[in-house]
Amino acid sequence: MLINGQLKYESQKLAMNYFRVALVLFGAQLLMGLIAAIQFLYPGFLFELFDFSVARMVHINALVVWMLYAMIGSVYYMIPDETGHEAVGIALGKLAFWILTAAVAVVVLVYIFIQVGSGSESTIWFINEGREYLEAPRWADIGIVAVVLVFYYNVFFTYLKSEKKTGIMTVMVANLFALAGLYLCGMFFTDNISMDQYWWWWVIHLWVEATWEVFVGTLAAYALIKILDAKREIVEMWLWIEVLMLFGSGILGLGHHYFWIGTPEYWWEIGALFSALEPVPLVAMFVHVLYDWGKEQGHAEAGGAGTAVKNSPAMAWIASNAFGNFLGAGIWGFFHTLPQVNIYTHGTQFTAAHGHLAFFGAYATILIGMMYLGVQGAYGIKKMTMTFKTKMSLFLIIFGVLGMAVALTIAGYEQVLVERADLGGGWDAFFIAQELPWYVQAQAWRLVMGIVTLVGFVYLAWDLLTIGQEVSQKESESVAAAA
Amino acid sequence: MESVIHMPQLAPDEFLGIFVMATLVLVFGVGYAALITLSKMGFVPKKWQPFGYFFWILQAYSLYDLAQRVQSNPFTTKVLMVAMVIYLFAPHLYFYLIEESENRYDPVEDGQTTKSLKEA
Amino acid sequence: MSKKSASVWTSIPFWRRSAAWVTGVATVLLIWLTFDTMGQISMGSDEDLKNGITKRIPAASVINYHIDYQFDDKRGHEVPVIGEKETFFGKEWSAEEAAKLLHLGKLTSQAKNCMNCHTLLGNGAYYAPDLTKAWLDPKWNDGTMTGITGKASKEEAMAEFLMHPSQYPTHARMMPNLGITKEEAVALVAFLKHMSAIDTNGFPRNFSQSAKRLEGGTHAH
């Protein structure tokens, strides 16, 4: 991941820069999560020095930002492949990258060292906005909008320049417009907490359960063609069907966040109906990826080519994406999406379990896959195979995140029974549930599994940094031996 | 607007069943879709197809049971069962689409592939 | 390429159009529902409160009234009930004063990052208790916290706790000192009292039973 050597396009070199920062932020996310997990068990840890609220804020912000970095990187990487052109405003794009990275660094430093401000507008503007996931202060919001405009300019006008407008690129351009536009819904202040959360969910939900999902579908389509030589028309036909199903269920699925925030009761029915449909496209995506894999593998074997997969680390991560999306977003989401159940699970560790597994399964996996595709391009590798480190990182990260999700589910289950169903919530009910052995042990297992995930990350980072060199060396050796 | 959903009072010992049933609905659902599609494609022997339908029956039962456990009203339960009947067609539609799209966009004669032709 | 099997089901333009239509219809429906919801969740006025008109989100001056959370047989869950007038920090607040106070309280709740430990309306982090109905929590009403802080009223006890949380620990897991001033603390209490008057469709459920159940002692230490 250290060099760009074999990449022909500046756009793809810029993509590698985005991937590099994304990897660093991914590491930061895990470290912050570790601190927060320790604080659940040992509340005195860093108390009044680096409190849970700070660790948790940096944890979730690093998550969102690393994913956005990897997403922007993925788009810059695929632009030349899909349009046949260099990104039109690449110099501006590079400038925007450095501005964004400098801004992210300043925001994180302020989060860590200043932490909270006084109850005034200036805090909202310069320290943090105090709205989960959208904590970035207002000045950074405006900066993000400016950078995203530059990015979108590059995507849109390069797309216009291309002779043949591919379906993948069309979906990308339309979806990114919605994705970027939605951010504006989170950029105002109101005294009315219900109104606040109503629009806050427009950003959060319509990102992670609609536009990000479509984004992932688009990336998977691109990757299937790139890695497996899947037939473009078939992949694009399925992409449109996925867009139909994802937006058809996901947009009104927003209703499942409007059960209890002061909004009217009709959201119960709308939310229950459409969010119950949300797993359907995930099933379809799951089957589709595996089907294409099996089919192309069959072709390759029939043609005597051995394996059809040109980048097995990327393929492994994308296959785990198809599975993880279904498991994390589908099953763990469906668990608690009906209002009859959600009134008891809302605001417990159930949500945390779902959040961990869904963000990882639906997004982290495929974005890691894209990083491997980038490495392959950067080193000009024809067939990228797994190293020992690839396998270790795959196993440890998947095992670790699954373990965390199971542990948090047990904790959430205990909370539902004791704190909610039996005691009805409230201060004492909360702490009684927090102190029972089932809960404490679940949190202990979560910490253990978090450490497993972190070790997996170390393998992943190490692999991404070295795999290009290793595999390209092997490849040139075998070419030399054949000659 | 009159609310269709009635908020039941759930006792602590009712939750496990609800969570298990909700999981089973999706697990059987994906099992049904996968078995039918895979056996039609020939990756799995044809004799597995009845098991696919058995999964569908289990899924329909799980959904019915889930609806009872969260005390859905009779109308909602009926709608859910109609949805299950529609889902019965899903893998068939899915397979139809795969086959038709292959015929249209990637016609392959037996024994050779478009790709190996390209590379040759 | 043979055209004989060119069914509409495999036509890319067909699926593209369908995707566009479905997305468009869903978006239009969402926008339409949003207009309706906006009407229902905009804040009520001081007049509404005086005339006993129930709003899902009442005016800030609801802090001048007694608030309760009771089971409603018709709706099948608990709803906030706005009762007789009561003083808040020993006085009645005018509509403007109350609105200003709520503004400061909401700002402070964001500036102090409450949501990254607590949940508000059930959304946030899960490290500390839900604050949706914190104003009505038995802990503030049964004499525990007024006793510990040595204050006469629950609003004063809450403000004192918010200013010096780690001086009044109730569990090993404590709230840190966030440098909250007296003015901000009063405003935060107003923000919490206002939030407890929001009609949340019965969330959190059985909250009004909480105190009674805890007395039963099945789980109490």
Side-chain angles (χ1 to χ4, degrees):
Chain A
M1 217 169 166
L2 291 169
I3 60 156
N4 300 329
Q6 304 291 322
L7 291 170
K8 279 199 294 268
Y9 292 98
E10 289 300 310
S11 176
Q12 295 187 322
K13 291 180 190 167
L14 178 58
M16 294 306 288
N17 271 346
Y18 274 103
F19 289 151
R20 287 174 192 128
V21 178
L23 192 65
V24 172
L25 288 168
F26 187 14
Q29 183 212 344
L30 298 189
L31 278 180
M32 290 295 147
L34 194 67
I35 293 175
I38 292 172
Q39 283 167 335
F40 260 107
L41 290 164
Y42 309 100
F45 184 62
L46 299 178
F47 182 69
E48 291 193 338
L49 200 69
F50 199 79
D51 286 309
F52 180 87
S53 54
V54 180
R56 207 265 188 173
M57 169 168 65
V58 184
H59 176 62
I60 60 175
N61 277 262
L63 160 82
V64 173
V65 177
W66 91 251
M67 290 194 166
L68 287 175
Y69 261 77
M71 285 161 77
I72 296 177
S74 306
V75 176
Y76 271 124
Y77 195 83
M78 67 190 264
I79 284 178
D81 283 345
E82 287 293 311
T83 63
H85 288 282
E86 180 69 87
V88 287
I90 190 66
L92 207 56
K94 282 183 184 165
L95 181 68
F97 166 79
W98 291 109
I99 291 174
L100 182 63
T101 306
V104 167
V106 172
V107 168
V108 170
L109 290 177
V110 170
Y111 282 170
I112 291 177
F113 291 107
I114 301 185
Q115 302 182 353
V116 290
S118 62
S120 60
E121 305 278 350
S122 64
T123 301
I124 306 285
W125 273 92
F126 299 108
I127 301 175
N128 87 65
E129 231 176 301
R131 297 167 80 200
E132 198 188 5
Y133 294 106
L134 305 181
E135 286 92 344
R138 194 64 49 80
W139 74 264
D141 281 347
I142 294 169
I144 290 168
V145 170
V147 168
V148 166
L149 282 177
V150 170
F151 166 64
Y152 196 72
Y153 161 81
N154 263 320
V155 178
F156 188 71
F157 284 95
T158 318
Y159 169 72
L160 282 190
K161 228 174 118 182
S162 61
E163 291 73 31
K164 190 175 175 301
K165 295 183 174 46
T166 65
I168 288 178
M169 209 54 202
T170 309
V171 175
M172 189 52 93
V173 165
N175 187 50
L176 279 177
F177 182 76
L179 203 163
L182 284 167
Y183 192 72
L184 300 176
C185 296
M187 282 178 58
F188 68 99
F189 176 86
T190 160
D191 294 340
N192 183 339
I193 180 88
S194 298
M195 199 67 92
D196 180 321
Q197 293 201 354
Y198 187 90
W199 292 104
W200 178 73
W201 279 120
W202 268 58
V203 188
I204 308 298
H205 172 95
L206 294 178
W207 268 13
V208 299
E209 288 176 65
T211 48
W212 283 28
E213 286 280 2
V214 169
F215 188 94
V216 161
T218 321
L219 280 191
Y222 166 76
L224 286 175
I225 295 175
K226 185 105 179 148
I227 302 176
L228 288 171
D229 261 341
K231 193 80 185 158
R232 178 175 285 275
E233 286 86 348
I234 298 178
V235 169
E236 289 190 345
M237 184 189 96
W238 283 105
L239 178 59
W240 286 112
I241 297 177
E242 282 161 17
V243 171
L244 183 157
M245 293 198 289
L246 285 168
F247 278 149
S249 61
I251 290 176
L252 287 168
L254 180 55
H256 64 205
H257 301 292
Y258 295 158
F259 293 160
W260 326 115
I261 64 164
T263 36
E265 281 101 331
Y266 55 70
W267 288 107
W268 284 352
E269 287 88 12
I270 296 166
L273 173 66
F274 287 93
S275 64
L277 290 175
E278 278 183 39
V280 176
L282 305 181
V283 177
M285 284 162 88
F286 177 50
V287 180
H288 179 222
V289 168
L290 293 190
Y291 169 75
D292 265 350
W293 191 359
K295 189 189 101 183
E296 298 299 334
Q297 183 65 37
H299 281 189
E301 277 164 15
T307 169
V309 179
K310 290 182 189 161
N311 187 332
S312 56
M315 192 62 213
W317 280 108
I318 288 165
S320 38
N321 169 260
F323 185 63
N325 206 350
F326 173 71
L327 195 68
I331 291 189
W332 253 264
F334 189 63
F335 254 175
H336 58 163
T337 198
L338 297 176
Q340 296 94 320
V341 179
N342 189 262
I343 194 163
Y344 295 100
T345 58
H346 182 49
T348 64
Q349 296 291 345
F350 251 110
T351 324
H354 166 57
H356 279 79
L357 199 54
F359 265 115
F360 171 73
Y363 303 115
T365 46
I366 195 158
L367 294 171
I368 295 171
M370 289 303 294
M371 291 181 191
Y372 275 103
L373 267 186
V375 171
Q376 184 182 21
Y379 286 85
I381 295 166
K382 285 202 187 65
K383 229 170 212 174
M384 188 138 114
T385 48
M386 290 201 210
T387 65
F388 174 71
K389 293 188 282 287
T390 321
K391 288 172 194 161
M392 283 303 281
S393 66
L394 260 168
F395 173 74
L396 288 175
I397 294 180
I398 292 174
F399 181 67
V401 176
L402 264 178
M404 280 197 283
V406 170
L408 289 172
T409 307
I410 292 168
Y413 180 61
E414 186 265 355
Q415 271 189 297
V416 166
L417 299 195
V418 177
E419 179 192 333
R420 295 302 184 72
D422 195 19
L423 298 177
W427 186 332
D428 274 332
F430 176 84
F431 277 109
I432 288 169
Q434 297 286 311
E435 285 165 0
L436 285 178
W438 276 91
Y439 186 92
V440 176
Q441 286 178 14
Q443 286 290 356
W445 278 108
R446 191 271 286 270
L447 179 57
V448 171
M449 288 302 169
I451 293 168
V452 170
T453 313
L454 188 66
V455 176
F457 171 79
V458 172
Y459 271 107
L460 174 73
W462 187 15
D463 193 43
L464 280 168
L465 292 176
T466 56
I467 189 172
Q469 188 67 33
E470 258 176 60
V471 178
S472 63
Q473 210 155 24
K474 243 189 255 165
E475 223 168 48
S476 54
E477 274 163 21
S478 67
V479 170
Chain B
M1 190 170 131
E2 198 59 28
S3 186
V4 182
I5 291 177
H6 156 73
M7 275 297 151
Q9 187 70 41
L10 298 175
D13 60 0
E14 291 178 81
F15 283 94
L16 186 61
I18 290 173
F19 294 133
V20 170
M21 280 302 162
T23 308
L24 289 181
V25 168
L26 294 199
V27 169
F28 287 134
V30 85
Y32 165 64
L35 268 183
I36 298 293
T37 318
L38 290 177
S39 70
K40 280 197 162 196
M41 287 182 332
F43 288 142
V44 168
K46 275 259 184 281
K47 64 173 184 224
W48 284 96
Q49 275 207 19
F51 288 95
Y53 290 107
F54 184 60
F55 274 17
W56 177 84
I57 293 169
L58 288 176
Q59 186 196 5
Y61 173 75
S62 305
L63 190 64
Y64 176 79
D65 191 68
L66 178 66
Q68 296 305 305
R69 283 171 192 265
V70 299
Q71 299 172 29
S72 296
N73 64 27
F75 173 72
T76 311
T77 313
K78 275 182 202 131
V79 171
L80 289 176
M81 290 303 107
V82 172
M84 279 312 303
V85 174
I86 295 171
Y87 190 64
L88 193 54
F89 293 96
H92 299 277
L93 177 67
Y94 197 82
F95 182 71
Y96 173 78
L97 282 177
I98 284 177
E99 211 171 44
E100 288 293 303
S101 59
E102 302 260 293
N103 288 341
R104 179 161 173 180
Y105 298 113
D106 200 8
V108 180
E109 278 123 62
D110 282 321
Q112 50 180 191
T113 69
T114 39
K115 194 158 65 262
S116 58
L117 284 174
K118 247 187 287 169
E119 279 164 7
Chain C
M1 196 175 279
S2 69
K3 289 275 173 211
K4 63 178 188 296
S5 64
S7 125
V8 66
W9 297 105
T10 57
S11 144
I12 292 173
F14 168 76
W15 288 111
R16 185 168 53 220
R17 271 196 301 273
S18 306
W21 272 103
V22 168
T23 307
V25 169
T27 308
V28 168
L29 268 173
L30 177 62
I31 290 170
W32 177 65
L33 288 164
T34 294
F35 272 108
D36 185 79
T37 300
M38 285 297 109
Q40 297 205 42
I41 66 169
S42 53
M43 225 181 255
S45 66
D46 196 42
E47 269 60 52
D48 292 335
L49 281 171
K50 284 181 183 141
N51 300 328
I53 297 169
T54 320
K55 285 285 195 178
R56 299 191 71 91
I57 290 85
S61 47
V62 75
I63 56 172
N64 293 318
Y65 294 81
H66 181 75
I67 296 164
D68 204 352
Y69 191 49
Q70 292 169 359
F71 196 83
D72 180 319
D73 283 323
K74 195 161 153 276
R75 292 179 62 186
H77 54 69
E78 294 142 293
V79 290
V81 177
I82 295 164
E84 296 300 307
K85 279 210 167 161
E86 66 179 19
T87 57
F88 184 68
F89 285 96
K91 67 175 240 187
E92 178 169 347
W93 300 67
S94 75
E96 293 76 41
E97 283 172 332
K100 253 194 184 152
L101 197 63
L102 180 65
H103 176 69
L104 178 61
K106 174 70 169 25
L107 260 180
T108 308
S109 78
Q110 291 184 217
K112 301 299 178 187
N113 211 353
C114 301
M115 228 182 161
N116 268 311
C117 283
H118 294 277
T119 43
L120 309 177
L121 304 177
N123 293 313
Y126 320 112
Y127 193 67
D130 179 53
L131 296 180
T132 310
K133 303 288 174 196
W135 171 257
L136 306 169
D137 202 289
K139 200 86 170 169
W140 298 105
N141 292 306
D142 63 8
T144 320
M145 292 311 287
T146 39
I148 292 174
T149 53
K151 295 287 172 183
S153 69
K154 82 165 156 184
E155 55 263 39
E156 281 164 322
M158 284 174 120
E160 172 64 21
F161 178 82
L162 286 169
M163 286 156 67
H164 312 285
S166 44
Q167 277 180 27
Y168 307 104
T170 58
H171 294 82
R173 199 187 296 170
M174 286 184 281
M175 178 168 157
N177 190 340
L178 298 168
I180 296 170
T181 65
K182 172 84 198 196
E183 205 192 357
E184 287 168 348
V186 170
L188 275 176
V189 178
F191 169 70
L192 291 174
K193 185 169 183 181
H194 176 260
M195 185 156 58
S196 75
I198 293 176
D199 184 345
T200 50
N201 292 343
F203 175 85
R205 191 167 182 86
N206 299 334
F207 188 86
S208 55
Q209 302 295 312
S210 191
K212 268 179 255 163
R213 292 196 179 219
L214 282 167
E215 274 167 27
T218 43
H219 292 276
H221 297 236

